[in-house]
Amino acid sequence: MAGEKAADEKKPGKRKTGEKKPAEQKAGQKEVGEKKKRAKKHHASRNPVLARGIGRYSRSAMYARKALYKRKYTAPETKIEKKKKEKPRATITKPVGGDKNGGSRVVKIRKMPRYYPTEDVPRKLLSHGKKPFSQHKRRLRASITPGTVLILLTGRHRGKRVVFLKQLDTGLLLVTGPLAVNRVPLRRAHQKFVIATSTKVDISGVKIPKHLTDAYFKKKRLRKPKHQEGEIFDTEKEKYEITEQRKSDQKVVDSQVLACIKKVPQLRGYLRSTFCLSNGVYPHKLVF
Amino acid sequence: VFKRFVEIGRVAFISFGPHAGKLVAIVDVIDQNRALVDGPCSGVRRQAMPFKCMQLTDFVLKFPHSARQKCVRRAWEKENINEKWAATRWAKKIEAREKKAKMTDFDRYKVMKAKKMRNRIIKHEMKKLQKMSSKKGKKPEKSEKSEKAPKSEKAPKSEKAPKAQKAQK
């Protein structure tokens, strides 16, 4: 039965015009022609397995069985022509100064190497799945959702309770005090050094500006190695200055977040307080 | 010396094991260490249970020994054991302990604030009384009367702390 179906679908454009019409309507949608239709319908393996790794028929027998003598495809010509056109320039003519020099020289763009090392670099073994940091998969703990109150554990704001806004592209968490509540600005925090409490603020209405990315928060370092010893200290930015843009962004985000915080009683005081352990308080026994 | 005895119909609280925390009635005694026990209204099937994991309560039901589950259930519901149990201090302590363990960080903060406020009020009253009694050393009855007043103030305030916990559940 499958064979008949196969025969039917193979026929568009070839033999029976009567059956062509319904099939052609289908083919009409993908107008590459019969090739696409034929490629879509895959036959099961025509080489029955005798034992694992051993088929019944040899290479030449399979060639015949698969009718590869019929299926010889050549690339369409236009592509070759295009490639022929697109050859990159090998030489360039540059003007040359001085009189009696002729006005220009023809110079190679890609020159031969001027040095060949005595020992060739050995071929590296194939590795698999080693991605650069930018392509790593970022994970986020299920307990951390936008609006969760987090407790920062490290850094100059340790112990402070802070509102989580979103996760940035590098995986760090964008977090804000808000500033008016506990002096924590818009800042990045690391997931691992944070306790997620079960207290959540409804932040669904808050719009976070799009330009708050990792590049925005990245520390700026001046690199001007022209100075030799001596006056290196002056050029390095010792004091961090809060730019106007940061202040305005803080205001924009905080005004929205504060409005959400005010709706929950006692939440503001909670965010103002810090977390600490005392006698008889064991973190593994606490429910956060 | 002993007030609660193992008898037919004694309601017991299971302290550990798979049915920890549930109430059962003792239907029959098997031997020195085990009893036939049944808890139709608390989800415990009729089974043998060692005495060690049972803690006797004050409640006794009336049914004959080896009575079937239907009779035990009838007696249980007649005496309304579930409600009586919930009203005992024992059950309330258990509930308070559970609530405390489930407190989140925010709840702990709220409890701290409530306690602080309450203690402040109490201290304020105490200071007032101390002042009064130091001023007029001769009137002991007045200080006695006003000592009763802060105790009645304590009652509504002690409700505040568990109330604050309950409200946030």
Side-chain angles (χ1 to χ4, degrees):
Chain A
M1 270 201 212
E4 281 176 22
K5 242 195 201 172
D8 269 351
E9 286 186 285
K10 272 194 186 178
K11 276 165 194 177
K14 284 241 160 168
R15 285 162 221 175
K16 290 193 183 169
T17 47
E19 283 186 288
K20 209 183 171 191
K21 279 190 182 159
E24 211 190 4
Q25 276 173 17
K26 276 191 201 166
Q29 288 171 17
K30 317 149 187 170
E31 250 308 311
V32 191
E34 315 133 350
K35 259 186 220 163
K36 264 278 162 107
K37 272 225 118 183
R38 220 180 266 164
K40 270 223 150 182
K41 199 202 89 342
H42 293 292
H43 194 284
S45 166
R46 296 175 211 263
N47 194 358
V49 172
L50 295 175
R52 184 148 66 129
I54 306 175
R56 167 73 183 79
Y57 299 104
S58 68
R59 268 185 197 271
S60 43
M62 281 313 295
Y63 187 88
R65 285 171 70 84
K66 288 205 275 193
L68 293 176
Y69 55 86
K70 273 199 238 175
R71 298 199 230 165
K72 292 190 184 166
Y73 304 118
T74 52
E77 285 179 15
T78 48
K79 275 193 182 164
I80 295 178
E81 284 178 354
K82 273 191 197 163
K83 272 188 185 161
K84 270 206 172 154
K85 280 188 201 164
E86 280 177 25
K87 240 176 157 184
R89 290 239 38 166
T91 62
I92 190 171
T93 38
K94 283 199 165 169
V96 159
D99 46 336
K100 289 213 252 178
N101 257 342
S104 56
R105 294 291 141 82
V106 177
V107 166
K108 274 195 185 177
I109 291 180
R110 306 202 69 199
K111 304 191 183 89
M112 301 299 294
R114 62 189 138 91
Y115 171 70
Y116 288 98
T118 41
E119 280 186 53
D120 286 326
V121 178
R123 205 158 205 206
K124 286 197 176 156
L125 291 152
L126 279 174
S127 76
H128 148 83
K130 307 282 181 285
K131 292 190 189 162
F133 179 70
S134 53
Q135 292 175 24
H136 283 176
K137 235 189 213 178
R138 317 290 175 195
R139 283 174 235 265
L140 188 60
R141 299 210 290 259
S143 52
I144 303 181
T145 62
T148 313
V149 172
L150 307 173
I151 301 177
L152 301 176
L153 293 175
T154 56
R156 59 179 54 203
H157 297 289
R158 66 202 89 131
K160 293 209 180 152
R161 297 185 172 104
V162 126
V163 176
F164 168 67
L165 296 174
K166 68 186 257 214
Q167 186 180 35
L168 301 170
D169 292 329
T170 47
L172 296 169
L173 313 177
L174 177 61
V175 126
T176 178
L179 190 67
V181 168
N182 50 20
R183 292 306 285 170
V184 176
L186 278 168
R187 205 169 200 267
R188 297 187 292 177
H190 191 109
Q191 219 189 124
K192 283 254 162 198
F193 303 110
V194 132
I195 295 180
T197 64
S198 49
T199 318
K200 309 226 189 257
V201 188
D202 185 14
I203 267 198
S204 43
V206 168
K207 291 213 177 74
I208 303 167
K210 288 261 152 82
H211 60 263
L212 298 175
T213 63
D214 284 295
Y216 176 88
F217 287 107
K218 194 157 172 59
K219 287 207 180 98
K220 298 350 179 250
R221 296 278 148 100
L222 294 174
R223 284 270 152 217
K224 284 223 168 148
K226 280 193 180 165
H227 287 265
Q228 322 239 336
E229 308 282 321
E231 296 137 9
I232 295 183
F233 264 164
D234 294 344
T235 45
E236 299 289 343
K237 238 193 280 185
E238 301 167 344
K239 207 36 186 101
Y240 165 70
E241 279 123 19
I242 310 167
T243 61
E244 282 307 313
Q245 195 197 17
R246 288 241 185 178
K247 289 190 195 168
S248 64
D249 289 332
Q250 185 77 46
K251 264 195 223 154
V252 164
V253 174
D254 272 4
S255 51
Q256 301 174 57
V257 174
L258 268 173
C260 303
I261 287 176
K262 290 208 170 135
K263 294 188 192 151
V264 183
Q266 297 193 297
L267 187 60
R268 190 165 182 274
Y270 176 57
L271 291 175
R272 291 192 69 197
S273 63
T274 51
F275 174 76
C276 61
L277 296 171
S278 58
N279 270 353
V281 177
Y282 306 111
H284 70 291
K285 290 225 158 157
L286 287 180
V287 168
F288 280 103
Chain B
V1 180
F2 289 106
K3 297 198 199 91
R4 300 173 184 159
F5 299 100
V6 170
E7 48 194 322
I8 311 291
R10 174 66 67 179
V11 174
F13 172 81
I14 304 177
S15 52
F16 61 84
H19 297 286
K22 297 190 187 149
L23 290 179
V24 274
I26 296 178
V27 172
D28 205 351
V29 170
I30 298 170
D31 61 11
Q32 203 205 354
N33 302 321
R34 290 179 302 151
L36 177 62
V37 118
D38 196 357
C41 303
S42 52
V44 181
R45 287 214 184 158
R46 182 174 264 241
Q47 60 193 269
M49 194 172 278
F51 286 117
K52 277 202 176 158
C53 68
M54 286 193 265
Q55 294 175 353
L56 306 178
T57 65
D58 287 327
F59 305 120
V60 185
L61 301 171
K62 279 223 88 177
F63 51 76
H65 78 109
S66 312
R68 59 199 251 257
Q69 184 166 52
K70 191 170 168 184
C71 302
V72 176
R73 186 193 293 271
R74 216 179 327 127
W76 193 294
E77 280 166 1
K78 181 151 172 244
E79 294 285 321
N80 226 339
I81 298 290
N82 284 341
E83 281 187 21
K84 285 190 188 166
W85 168 251
T88 59
R89 279 184 180 271
W90 187 346
K92 287 192 194 147
K93 273 192 264 174
I94 294 173
E95 207 202 325
R97 217 179 299 145
E98 277 174 20
K99 281 227 174 96
K100 192 172 182 192
K102 268 199 273 178
M103 262 204 290
T104 75
D105 198 42
F106 191 22
D107 293 336
R108 260 173 263 130
Y109 168 79
K110 286 188 255 187
V111 166
M112 181 264 285
K113 284 284 170 185
K115 270 196 197 169
K116 207 169 170 193
M117 225 193 319
R118 170 178 137 190
N119 288 337
R120 217 170 256 169
I121 296 173
I122 293 174
K123 212 187 281 178
H124 183 65
E125 290 297 316
M126 270 301 289
K127 287 274 156 79
K128 270 206 286 191
L129 296 174
Q130 281 173 351
K131 251 201 203 170
M132 274 204 312
S133 60
S134 69
K135 269 191 193 169
K136 310 157 185 177
K138 4 175 188 167
K139 285 193 186 169
E141 49 167 303
K142 193 168 189 184
S143 54
E144 240 186 271
K145 230 196 333 181
S146 14
E147 262 180 46
K148 291 262 170 92
K151 277 207 181 140
S152 59
E153 279 187 71
K154 263 194 200 178
K157 265 155 237 145
S158 62
E159 282 179 22
K160 196 180 210 175
K163 216 188 195 181
Q165 293 176 43
K166 269 192 185 179
Q168 293 317 315
K169 279 303 156 220

